[in-house]
Amino acid sequence: MATLVAAPASAATTPLAAYVRARAADADGAVTVAAQGYAEALAAQPNDPVIAVRALRQALASGDLPLARRAGAVLRAADVAPPDLDILAFSDAVIARDTAAQRTALGRLAESPLGFLGPSLASWVDLPAPPVAVDGGPIPRRYAAENAALRLLATGQTSEGIAATRSLLTATGGDADFRLNAAQLLARAGQRDTARALLAGDDPVLSRAAETLGRGSKGDARFGVSRLFARMAGDLSAEGTESLAIMLARSALLLDPDYARARIALADALARDDAIAEAKATLAAVPAGDPFAGSANALGIVILQRSGDVPGALALARIQAESPGATTATLRRYADLQLETGEAAAAAQTYSRALAQAGQGADWTLYLQRGAALDQSGDWTGALPMLRRAVELAPQEPVALNYLGYAQVDHGENVVEATRMLERAHALAPKDPAIADSLGWARYRAGNLTAALPLIEGAVRQAPDDVEINEHLGDVYWATGRRVEARYAWAAASVAADGADAQRLASKLANGPASSHR
């Protein structure tokens, strides 16, 4: 650890106190307070790389880029700079139009695991691509291909750019970000019909973007580099990638402060790094009329859920659903959350609004979810036609087949045909434990314990923490006379059970099953 010498002044003003305060704030996810503390400590110990490495990360999380640059310089001097520091250095050089600094940053990147970015970045500043020491694999190659297509469109090579874009869309279906960026550049080049064709479909982001085609799309280095960085930041969702995603997204916003996609990627990375307050503030900066406003609203709910604030998530979803012009997706998010939190009857009403708004274009999942909400609220008569409609619209969807089949078996209706549905669902998704359990339960209810047991035992192996599957296994064990194993299965189910489930399982553990599962 770095040597920090306390001055004889008040302990509250010493560099050691600042560092300790920063570490405590760091541990609590208070990144802005942490950055301030590290800034004070670094000012007192300006060459200390231990302080600098913490200062760099908290500065990026809090948005204090001057501190990030200062900390980065200390790490560079100590020859311990992280590879992603040159993402910020390159962005600064693009803004300053400093060719020498661009070349230096690219040269350092080429020798790092991020070297695959070098040729794409070099193309936007008209520099020779540095030799790449690291093969990035198929995902970096996809970034490079998308970047090359955008670069062709941005430099007036429209025919070549359209051909490259169509080739990518044929091969991959086209990521929404790529389609939007290509459409913006095509509109700028006067190809508005071709641009609109790229944005056709049901994606709400692309639909809203069609209304603002060509605005703010200069097609310069700032545009290209910011899109590449934001694209990569948005894809980094695995644990341990938060710091890199934050660096990429901050750099993208430095290059284009109005690019909401980068802001959303930043908010997601901040939330995954436990910087909840900063994530919320980042999303709040997305304008209501931006094409990505709906995505920002959706992420705001997810962030609250991740942080354990389910009431806050529900309240935010309600506000969004009750706002003028609420979309079908907005209503669906609110209904989904109502259903997850046990408000099944209210969820059914909200799904009804979503279905009415969607009209003839309503997706099968809306019918399935409304049917589930009605079923869980005790309205099986209302649920059945909804579930049947879902299966009519999606006869090869195992989830729809499973819910309708299991619900009918559980209600003792149309059992033979319901079991056939479950067999079809299991054939379509043989590795889905919920579906295997449903089919096993149908066999059990039909008295075929020999066929039921291996299905439910296999489901438990795949989903050992599932309350319902473990309870079913206990019921089947009990019916076959394996009473000790039955109680082990019910005990396993009890670990995560609550409410009525917990009470029922406690009764089974004490007295055995007095009746069927429901």
Side-chain angles (χ1 to χ4, degrees):
M1 184 173 180
T3 302
L4 294 170
V5 179
S10 165
T13 62
T14 65
L16 178 59
Y19 183 76
V20 170
R21 185 174 71 250
R23 288 294 302 272
D26 194 339
D28 288 341
V31 298
T32 299
V33 175
Q36 292 169 348
Y38 288 133
E40 291 177 32
L42 191 61
Q45 301 280 111
N47 299 313
D48 192 322
V50 173
I51 299 173
V53 72
R54 294 185 177 278
L56 172 64
R57 295 307 175 196
Q58 296 306 309
L60 288 167
S62 67
D64 187 345
L65 294 187
L67 174 59
R69 295 184 184 100
R70 191 162 80 249
V74 174
L75 297 173
R76 185 88 65 206
D79 199 26
V80 291
D84 62 344
L85 186 60
D86 281 299
I87 291 172
L88 179 59
F90 183 79
S91 301
D92 284 335
V94 168
I95 292 170
R97 299 184 180 180
D98 185 337
T99 302
Q102 293 166 7
R103 188 178 288 109
T104 299
L106 288 173
R108 287 193 296 249
L109 274 175
E111 299 173 358
S112 78
L114 297 172
F116 66 88
L117 290 172
S120 294
L121 298 176
S123 72
W124 287 102
V125 292
D126 296 321
L127 285 175
V132 178
V134 179
D135 179 9
I139 293 176
R141 285 196 293 273
R142 187 190 72 198
Y143 293 151
E146 291 180 358
N147 184 82
L150 294 179
R151 181 62 177 152
L152 288 169
L153 294 173
T155 54
Q157 301 174 73
T158 308
S159 297
E160 296 89 338
I162 290 174
T165 298
R166 286 175 175 165
S167 176
L168 280 166
L169 294 178
T170 300
T172 66
D175 178 89
D177 287 353
F178 171 64
R179 290 168 62 191
L180 175 55
N181 293 332
Q184 292 285 9
L185 292 173
L186 282 166
R188 176 178 172 271
Q191 300 282 333
R192 299 188 73 84
D193 289 343
T194 306
R196 288 194 182 93
L198 284 181
L199 303 180
D202 298 329
D203 189 305
V205 172
L206 299 184
S207 299
R208 296 186 72 175
E211 303 170 6
T212 60
L213 272 176
R215 297 180 197 170
S217 303
K218 296 181 180 179
D220 57 5
R222 286 193 179 204
F223 174 90
V225 176
S226 67
R227 269 53 183 178
L228 177 58
F229 286 167
R231 177 83 164 87
M232 188 174 172
D235 285 346
L236 290 172
S237 58
E239 185 176 351
T241 63
E242 295 85 1
S243 293
L244 177 56
I246 290 169
M247 173 67 87
L248 287 160
R250 284 286 183 205
S251 297
L253 286 170
L254 179 65
L255 292 159
D256 185 352
D258 296 327
Y259 188 34
R261 181 65 183 89
R263 203 167 292 282
I264 290 169
L266 174 61
D268 181 53
L270 288 169
R272 289 188 291 111
D273 204 34
D274 295 326
I276 304 301
E278 285 70 20
K280 291 179 182 177
T282 299
L283 286 179
V286 176
D290 191 277
F292 288 98
S295 301
N297 289 339
L299 181 57
I301 294 170
V302 171
I303 286 172
L304 289 170
Q305 287 179 282
R306 281 183 195 159
S307 65
D309 186 4
V310 176
L314 193 60
L316 179 58
R318 182 179 65 251
I319 290 169
Q320 293 176 8
E322 293 175 352
S323 64
T327 64
T328 301
T330 300
L331 294 170
R332 168 69 181 267
R333 281 195 299 272
Y334 182 38
D336 286 350
L337 197 53
Q338 287 176 307
L339 189 58
E340 288 173 23
T341 54
E343 299 180 13
Q349 293 179 354
T350 308
Y351 284 127
S352 180
R353 289 176 57 200
L355 281 166
Q357 183 157 310
Q360 294 298 313
D363 185 80
W364 66 271
T365 59
L366 270 177
Y367 286 99
L368 178 65
Q369 290 297 94
R370 182 160 194 261
L374 289 166
D375 182 28
Q376 292 175 33
S377 67
D379 184 4
W380 172 240
T381 301
L384 186 56
M386 294 289 106
L387 298 173
R388 283 178 170 160
R389 180 59 177 158
V391 170
E392 287 173 8
L393 290 172
Q396 297 302 312
E397 285 291 342
V399 173
L401 292 166
N402 178 61
Y403 198 105
L404 177 56
Y406 178 79
Q408 288 185 105
V409 167
D410 217 35
H411 285 281
E413 296 181 7
N414 195 27
V415 174
V416 174
E417 177 57 30
T419 302
R420 291 197 190 103
M421 281 187 199
L422 293 173
E423 289 170 345
R424 287 204 335 258
H426 186 54
L428 289 165
K431 296 184 179 180
D432 188 314
I435 294 174
D437 171 68
S438 295
L439 181 56
W441 190 246
R443 303 285 191 225
Y444 166 76
R445 292 289 293 267
N448 190 348
L449 302 183
T450 302
L453 190 56
L455 284 164
I456 299 179
E457 284 180 328
V460 166
R461 284 194 295 272
Q462 290 178 278
D465 299 326
D466 188 282
V467 173
E468 187 170 29
I469 297 176
N470 275 290
E471 183 175 3
H472 283 170
L473 181 60
D475 290 358
V476 177
Y477 277 150
W478 187 274
T480 59
R482 296 162 65 173
R483 304 299 170 85
V484 173
E485 290 167 285
R487 286 193 164 90
Y488 273 117
W490 292 329
S494 299
V495 172
D498 55 19
D501 291 339
Q503 293 176 8
R504 185 179 60 253
L505 285 162
S507 176
K508 287 184 178 183
L509 283 165
N511 309 307
S515 61
S516 65
H517 177 59
R518 287 189 180 179

